[in-house]
């Protein structure tokens, strides 16, 4: 059987021309590098914001605990139960600024 080769040959040559035109084109030369770097840069920015928030929360929690320790240190209570109770109430009062996880 003889198959006609003209339609395939024409389609392949058109595809070949399109590929050569695409590879040789200099328009939009920034689009590909930008697309490849946009995702990692966005992820790094989100990680920096998350790290900053975690550092601020840790600092705030440490401040609340320090304030509770100073409250207990300045008080005149001497029994272990009273120290525990006063420290816990001072810590709870200082932690009201922090949202509870849901």
């Amino acid at each position: 059987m003889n198959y006609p080769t003209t339609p395939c040959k024409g389609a392949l040559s058109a595809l070949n021309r399109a590929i050569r035109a695409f590879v040789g084109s200099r328009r939009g030369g920034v689009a590909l590098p930008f697309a490849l770097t946009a995702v990692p840069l966005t992820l790094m920015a989100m990680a920096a914001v998350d790290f900053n928030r975690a550092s601020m929360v840790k600092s705030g929690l440490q401040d609340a605990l320090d304030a509770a320790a100073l409250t207990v240190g300045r008080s005149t209570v001497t029994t272990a139960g009273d120290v525990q109770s006063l420290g816990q109430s001072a810590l709870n009062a200082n932690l009201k600024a922090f949202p509870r996880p849901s």
Side-chain angles (χ1 to χ4, degrees):
M1 290 189 138
N2 250 346
Y3 293 108
T5 58
T6 313
C8 274
K9 188 175 182 183
L12 288 177
S13 106
L15 180 63
N16 193 12
R17 281 193 307 270
I19 290 172
R20 286 178 191 252
F22 179 74
V23 170
S25 176
R26 296 292 175 218
R27 295 181 2 199
V30 176
L32 185 61
F34 177 76
L36 291 175
T37 58
V39 173
L41 286 176
T42 302
L43 290 175
M44 284 191 289
M46 290 174 15
V49 169
D50 189 40
F51 182 75
N52 182 38
R53 175 72 179 139
S55 296
M56 291 184 69
V57 167
K58 181 181 176 188
S59 175
L61 291 174
Q62 186 65 49
D63 290 345
L65 186 59
D66 289 345
L70 288 173
T71 301
V72 170
R74 289 182 185 166
S75 72
T76 58
V77 296
T78 56
T79 63
D82 290 342
V83 168
Q84 179 71 29
S85 175
L86 180 62
Q88 188 65 46
S89 64
L91 183 61
N92 288 341
N94 287 320
L95 288 179
K96 287 188 179 186
F98 291 97
R100 299 272 178 193
S102 52

